[in-house]
């Protein structure tokens, strides 16, 4: 298992939701979720930038003016 499935995100115990959320276990659960989401977004951004850079290097500039607007210059 990887990602969120490997970490128990529920905060067990007695008390209200706010009390459990403010506990140390709640803080740890929020921290794990934040770090996992940040890593996923960062990975998506890096892959997107790499693919965009590779496409920009391989596709000629005339392609954009042919498909989108004849007056647009890349």
């Amino acid at each position: 298992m990887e990602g969120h499935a490997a970490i128990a995100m529920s905060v067990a115990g007695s008390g209200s939701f706010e009390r459990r959320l403010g506990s140390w276990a709640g803080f740890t659960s929020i921290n794990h979720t934040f770090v996992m989401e940040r890593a996923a977004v960062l990975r998506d951004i890096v892959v997107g930038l790499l693919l965009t850079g590779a496409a920009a290097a391989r596709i000629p500039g005339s392609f954009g003016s042919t498909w989108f607007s004849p007056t647009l210059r890349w």
Side-chain angles (χ1 to χ4, degrees):
M1 298 175 85
E2 64 180 76
H4 294 292
I7 301 171
M9 294 294 175
S10 63
V11 179
S14 61
S16 67
F17 174 73
E18 291 84 13
R19 186 171 190 71
R20 287 182 288 144
L21 192 61
S23 68
W24 185 253
F27 175 75
T28 303
S29 178
I30 292 169
N31 187 31
H32 282 290
T33 302
F34 176 77
V35 170
M36 296 296 285
E37 293 296 326
R38 187 181 64 182
V41 169
L42 182 62
R43 183 178 53 239
D44 291 343
I45 289 172
V46 168
V47 168
L49 288 173
L50 288 173
L51 290 174
T52 304
R58 302 286 288 168
I59 298 172
S62 61
F63 177 80
S65 60
T66 302
W67 284 92
F68 299 111
S69 172
T71 60
L72 182 64
R73 292 287 175 216
W74 296 86

